[in-house]
């Protein structure tokens, strides 16, 4: 949903820092041995992510038969995610790189964790690789769990590699009921290729964004009642102008946010502009 700048810290730096306090020394040596592999895999990851081909990344349960999945998970926990970990500053830097701490996967929740875009349980090589660590809210982290793409069309949006922000693909419609309801859907531009079209649709489904956005829009509608009924005195032309300005303001910040889609739908809906707004209940 929201693009994030790619982490500038290298995989080599992070892996080396994490390995530096590993014990016993025999494990530290094995980690040292696999460092070139982890760096090479990260380079391949970046290449495939740019091509929207992360489904082609191979699953492994050990790094070159030398470092096990359990050892890598333990390394992540002790060195990166633990508050006293040697590389905790990297974890904090990734989390704080998000504007306003808003989750890039849903655009609603507050970032509270790092999500392994390719899950730890299947992709041992990327457990401490910065470009695989995506800041996320708890709900998005839980929604995805250990899902990973087996086919190109099973991918979801990767915020470090997202290029979907330039064109509108999220829309809403106003359901003419009391109270009015906003229903959201994804309609990518027709000139996008089939894989890109599927990725944004799948993202919308995996992270359960339809219900999340509808709930947030209902809350927003409640706060609009005073403006539309009392300040603008129910004048359709004034309401349309106000909602259009809100749309432009929201779109300037994030083209595909639920707010942009909601205001665009409200500003174009004749029923809402003339009488539907009166159905917003006073809280
Ligand atoms: Zn989220």
């Amino acid at each position: 949903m929201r693009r994030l700048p790619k982490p500038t810290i290298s995989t080599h730096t992070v892996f080396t820092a994490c390995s530096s306090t590993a014990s016993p020394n025999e494990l530290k040596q094995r980690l040292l041995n696999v460092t070139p592999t982890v760096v090479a895999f990260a380079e391949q990851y970046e290449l495939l992510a740019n091509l929207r081909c992360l489904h082609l990344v191979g699953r492994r349960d050990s790094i070159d038969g030398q470092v096990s999945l359990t050892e890598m998970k333990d390394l992540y926990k002790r060195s990166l995610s633990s508050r006293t970990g040697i590389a905790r500053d990297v974890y904090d830097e990734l989390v704080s790189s998000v504007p306003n701490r808003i989750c890039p996967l849903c655009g609603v929740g507050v970032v509270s964790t790092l999500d392994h875009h390719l899950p730890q349980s299947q992709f041992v090589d990327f457990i401490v690789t910065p470009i695989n660590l995506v800041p996320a809210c708890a709900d998005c982290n839980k929604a995805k769990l250990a899902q990973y793409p087996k086919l190109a069309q099973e991918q979801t949006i990767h915020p470090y590699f997202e290029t979907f922000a330039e064109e509108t693909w999220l829309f809403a419609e106003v359901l003419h009921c009391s109270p009015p309801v906003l229903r959201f859907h994804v309609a990518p531009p027709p000139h996008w290729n089939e894989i890109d079209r599927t990725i944004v649709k799948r993202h919308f489904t995996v992270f359960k964004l339809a219900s999340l956005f509808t709930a947030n829009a209902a809350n927003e509608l409640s706060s609009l009642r005073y403006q539309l009924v009392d300040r603008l005195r129910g004048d359709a032309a004034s309401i349309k102008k106000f909602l259009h300005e809100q749309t432009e303001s929201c779109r300037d910040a994030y083209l595909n946010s639920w707010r942009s889609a909601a205001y665009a739908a409200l500003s174009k809906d004749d029923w809402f502009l003339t009488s539907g707004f009166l159905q917003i209940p006073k809280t």
Side-chain angles (χ1 to χ4, degrees):
M1 297 295 299
R2 293 187 180 187
R3 186 187 295 168
L4 288 182
K6 232 181 282 175
T8 51
I9 190 159
S10 74
T11 300
H12 184 273
T13 302
V14 177
F15 192 76
T16 305
C18 290
S19 307
S20 66
T21 55
S23 70
N25 273 337
E26 174 270 334
L27 170 62
K28 197 188 282 187
Q29 184 58 50
R30 282 189 284 121
L31 289 166
L32 190 65
N33 294 345
V34 301
T35 304
T37 299
V38 171
V39 171
F41 268 65
E43 286 167 2
Q44 189 194 34
Y45 182 113
E46 182 154 6
L47 203 69
L48 292 171
N50 279 321
L51 295 170
R52 306 250 198 279
C53 288
L54 278 179
H55 62 292
L56 297 178
V57 173
R59 286 180 290 141
R60 306 207 298 175
D61 55 12
S62 80
I63 305 180
D64 296 346
Q66 289 204 55
V67 179
S68 72
L69 178 62
T70 307
E71 287 170 328
M72 279 304 294
K73 280 184 171 179
D74 190 50
L75 189 74
Y76 175 78
K77 212 182 271 180
R78 281 190 302 102
S79 307
L80 256 169
S81 68
S82 162
R83 296 217 169 269
T84 55
I86 183 81
R88 174 67 193 199
D89 57 327
V90 175
Y91 187 101
D92 291 338
E93 196 181 313
L94 292 174
V95 165
S96 62
S97 71
V98 184
N100 307 320
R101 292 285 293 266
I102 296 298
C103 175
L105 301 174
C106 62
V108 173
V110 175
V111 168
S112 60
T113 187
L114 289 180
D115 175 61
H116 286 82
H117 188 78
L118 293 182
Q120 298 187 61
S121 58
Q122 306 289 330
F123 299 92
V124 64
D125 300 280
F126 309 107
I127 289 180
V128 300
T129 298
I131 50 174
N132 191 46
L133 302 175
V134 176
C137 71
D139 285 347
C140 285
N141 190 239
K142 196 173 150 200
K144 188 165 143 286
L145 288 174
Q147 289 188 53
Y148 63 93
K150 298 168 198 72
L151 302 167
Q153 56 267 37
E154 290 178 358
Q155 297 176 93
T156 53
I157 297 174
H158 193 318
Y160 296 143
F161 297 91
E162 109 109 287
T163 55
F164 303 124
E166 309 299 332
E167 294 177 275
T168 308
W169 51 264
L170 180 67
F171 297 89
E173 63 177 313
V174 184
L175 302 189
H176 300 172
C177 50
S178 181
V181 170
L182 281 150
R183 186 163 60 191
F184 293 81
H185 65 275
V186 171
H191 61 270
W192 284 15
N193 68 53
E194 194 50 38
I195 298 296
D196 286 354
R197 293 167 61 79
T198 316
I199 287 174
V200 289
K201 285 180 186 170
R202 180 150 178 100
H203 188 93
F204 190 72
T205 305
V206 167
F207 293 102
K208 304 178 172 65
L209 300 184
S211 57
L212 178 68
F213 292 172
T214 290
N216 276 271
N219 196 46
E220 185 89 356
L221 276 175
S222 299
S223 67
L224 280 177
R225 190 189 171 284
Y226 171 76
Q227 176 72 21
L228 306 187
V229 177
D230 297 329
R231 293 290 302 277
L232 301 177
R233 302 193 178 282
D235 176 63
S238 303
I239 291 175
K240 188 178 179 71
K241 183 169 178 287
F242 167 77
L243 293 173
H244 180 70
E245 286 168 357
Q246 291 291 102
T247 306
E248 292 305 302
S249 180
C250 293
R251 285 168 63 92
D252 182 60
Y254 294 102
L255 199 56
N256 291 296
S257 70
W258 67 263
R259 266 200 184 86
S260 297
Y263 277 108
L266 292 171
S267 69
K268 290 176 195 156
D269 191 279
D270 287 339
W271 171 80
F272 183 79
L273 295 171
T274 53
S275 62
F277 68 93
L278 293 167
Q279 304 299 322
I280 302 171
K282 194 168 169 61
T283 51

